[in-house]
Amino acid sequence: DQYIVSGDRAATILVWIMTGECKFQLCAHTSAVNSLTLTRQRCFSCGGDRTIRMWSLNTGKLLKTLRGHNDTVRAIDAYNDIMISGGGDKTVQIWNATYRDDITLD
């Protein structure tokens, strides 16, 4: 299946099927959703609650919550199992299922 995802300031993420039908409403963030990215059958979201969340596009279930930023997480991108996030704490963090490396920006 092909999906489109949308997030809003009310901390809600909607997963849409290309036909225009809403498949899932994903709720776990406690403040605005700032960025979303899709990879394989997963959706990654980040927000003002300083978290990154990994969701299953098959079930709509929350798979994992990642914490590491000390300020709002502003942007994310992913490729296969590698995900990169940038935050208001001026760090870029590289994540996968088993480890995380931090890179501080000047």
Side-chain angles (χ1 to χ4, degrees):
D1 291 335
Q2 293 183 351
Y3 302 102
I4 297 172
V5 292
S6 61
D8 62 27
R9 291 182 181 197
T12 302
I13 300 164
L14 298 177
V15 178
W16 303 89
I17 300 171
M18 295 299 276
T19 61
E21 176 187 348
C22 184
K23 182 174 181 178
F24 297 117
Q25 180 175 337
L26 311 176
C27 300
H29 285 284
T30 58
S31 64
V33 175
N34 293 331
S35 185
L36 298 158
T37 191
L38 302 175
T39 180
R40 296 186 186 180
Q41 290 299 311
R42 288 177 280 190
C43 172
F44 291 92
S45 61
C46 68
D49 59 3
R50 302 178 183 183
T51 66
I52 298 159
R53 304 202 186 242
M54 182 172 68
W55 307 86
S56 167
L57 291 174
N58 292 324
T59 65
K61 301 239 186 250
L62 179 64
L63 300 174
K64 188 178 279 191
T65 300
L66 305 170
R67 292 178 176 84
H69 285 281
N70 294 318
D71 199 347
T72 185
V73 186
R74 299 191 184 279
I76 53 174
D77 200 3
Y79 180 76
N80 293 331
D81 292 331
I82 304 296
M83 200 266 307
I84 299 171
S85 61
D89 56 1
K90 299 182 182 178
T91 64
V92 171
Q93 298 186 15
I94 302 169
W95 310 76
N96 80 12
T98 58
Y99 70 89
R100 176 180 52 100
D101 293 329
D102 299 344
I103 302 168
T104 302
L105 302 178
D106 293 331

